[in-house]
Amino acid sequence: PLWVGGFASTMPSAYPRLLQPITLRGGAVLRNRALMGSMHTGLEEGEGWGHSLEKMGAFFAERARGGVGLMVTGGIAPNAAGRVAPFAATMASSSDARRHRTVTEMVHEVGGAKIAMQLLHAGRYAYQPSAVAPSAKKAPIGWVTPHALSSAQVEATIGDFAAAAALAQEAGYDGVEVMGSEGYLINQFLVTRTNHRSDAWGGSFSNRMRLPVEIVRAVRGAVSADFILIFRLSMLDLVRDGSSWEEVVELAQAVEEAGATIINTGIGWHEARVPTIATSVPRGGFAWVTQKLKGHGLSIPLVATNRINTPEVAEAVLASGQADMVSMARPLLADPDFVNKAAAGTPQLINTCIACNQACLDHT
């Protein structure tokens, strides 16, 4: 059956692939192929002395009511050094987990949708003095020169990701997304542009990809088998000295083997000069990248992303075999009921995101 407004329906749909449930490795079932991609909403730090997350909970509960299958939060740091800015949200203690219970309980009270916490270590993109990176090289869009992590600190960071995932499960989340793209810490370890190390974490690609693979393996070992583990993989860096295609494929295969449940597409570092989400980018313009990876023997779902802003585009991406799922972030900011309206046969009522970035991305 299709799911409309939280209820099963047997009516035919113009979007059968978008609305088709999917069973993941480990047994978790998503009610459709729509993933709400991660966005920093400004709600992750909470309000007041207790840093209440009521507004964050209400935000995601509204989208759960709107019919989406799986939602990913804005990036939450696994430790203090990984914060994007001073006092940005972390998942590093039982008190953090208790606060996030508000979010997960509000979402699960609605029913139907699942929610994952994105674990994001900013690396040299951090706008705070304790920024760290594989090497002490300042980002062109950064404010500070990061400290190069020692080998022991790299190992500790892996442990922090695993601990954060376990705390996210304790908080009631259905999964986590390990942010390995867009030029953040994990991405920085992968490429020679930012990784100038000569130890076991640098040099050859097998060394440079150790961090993401070990993080995925440690996270999988810290959570239950049915806990969803998404890895956001940079399939196009769009910067000099980024990953080769052969390296992208090797990493994808390695993170699947290490225990990932889903691989989500990442397109472009934040310092890249190539437009990736602006209005000038064709709709579904990067789905071909995800399709290219599908031909390399992976058995877990691959998610296409960027400028998929109507149910027609989403259905076309899925129907053509370019991806197993589609990620939409700003379209679900523009209209929380996007999926329900598509399922009800009223796509003309969707408040379509036109990728102008006004009042959302341009305000961050």
Side-chain angles (χ1 to χ4, degrees):
L2 303 177
W3 291 87
V4 183
F7 299 95
S9 170
T10 56
M11 68 180 186
S13 169
Y15 315 107
R17 292 165 183 83
L18 176 63
L19 300 173
Q20 181 182 29
I22 182 170
T23 301
L24 306 175
R25 171 193 283 180
V29 179
L30 306 180
R31 61 181 170 181
N32 55 52
R33 305 301 177 102
L35 181 151
M36 179 178 170
S38 174
M39 296 176 285
H40 287 95
T41 60
L43 304 175
E44 294 85 7
E45 283 70 48
E47 289 190 314
W49 290 107
H51 300 285
S52 168
L53 294 174
E54 289 277 344
K55 285 189 175 180
M56 181 178 170
F59 176 85
F60 284 106
E62 185 176 17
R63 277 124 191 108
R65 278 190 293 273
V68 69
L70 174 61
M71 303 175 291
V72 182
T73 71
I76 308 292
N79 56 32
R83 288 170 163 163
V84 175
F87 311 112
T90 61
M91 180 56 80
S93 68
S94 291
S95 62
D96 291 331
R98 284 193 297 272
R99 287 191 309 110
H100 277 269
R101 273 277 172 194
T102 300
V103 178
T104 59
E105 287 174 358
M106 291 176 74
V107 167
H108 293 144
E109 184 178 351
V110 172
K114 296 188 184 297
I115 183 167
M117 172 181 283
Q118 187 185 80
L119 300 179
L120 181 155
H121 192 302
R124 73 175 191 161
Y125 280 173
Y127 291 95
Q128 43 105 345
S130 60
V132 296
S135 303
K137 184 177 180 183
K138 180 177 174 290
I141 59 172
W143 289 357
V144 300
T145 299
H147 303 284
L149 288 164
S150 68
S151 182
Q153 288 171 326
V154 175
E155 296 278 5
T157 300
I158 295 169
D160 291 338
F161 268 93
L167 287 168
Q169 184 165 34
E170 179 184 320
Y173 283 94
D174 302 295
V176 293
E177 178 175 75
V178 174
M179 181 49 152
S181 68
E182 263 69 9
Y184 291 110
L185 180 77
I186 292 173
N187 218 171
Q188 292 161 24
F189 265 86
L190 284 167
V191 302
T192 56
R193 177 183 182 85
T194 43
N195 185 339
H196 301 160
R197 303 173 72 98
S198 57
D199 62 0
W201 305 98
S204 67
F205 185 66
S206 60
N207 282 356
R208 286 183 277 123
M209 78 171 193
R210 277 186 68 198
L211 181 66
V213 174
E214 291 302 322
I215 286 173
V216 171
R217 185 173 287 118
V219 167
R220 176 48 67 202
V223 296
S224 63
D226 62 347
F227 193 71
I228 301 166
L229 201 175
I230 310 163
F231 186 80
R232 183 83 176 268
L233 194 156
S234 185
M235 297 189 198
L236 280 180
D237 288 335
L238 302 178
V239 293
R240 290 182 184 274
D241 301 318
S243 294
S244 68
W245 181 250
E246 292 73 21
E247 290 170 346
V248 169
V249 172
E250 185 176 350
L251 177 60
Q253 293 169 340
V255 297
E256 177 179 8
E257 188 278 332
T261 315
I262 295 171
I263 292 178
N264 194 4
T265 303
I267 301 292
W269 287 37
H270 286 316
E271 64 201 68
R273 304 303 297 267
V274 179
T276 57
I277 61 171
T279 308
S280 58
V281 177
R283 295 183 184 188
F286 290 104
W288 65 270
V289 184
T290 313
Q291 182 180 29
K292 188 176 179 182
L293 186 58
K294 278 179 68 68
H296 289 278
L298 297 166
S299 61
I300 58 176
L302 302 183
V303 185
T305 188
N306 288 43
R307 292 289 283 130
I308 299 170
N309 69 336
T310 68
E312 290 78 12
V313 173
E315 182 70 14
V317 167
L318 297 169
S320 64
Q322 291 179 295
D324 304 295
M325 296 177 63
V326 290
S327 174
M328 298 175 285
R330 294 166 302 159
L332 287 157
L333 181 63
D335 195 335
D337 295 316
F338 181 106
V339 178
N340 278 352
K341 289 175 180 177
T346 56
Q348 73 277 10
L349 299 181
I350 293 173
N351 183 38
T352 304
C353 169
I354 60 171
C356 67
N357 294 324
Q358 301 301 301
C360 64
L361 185 65
D362 286 352
H363 282 224
T364 61

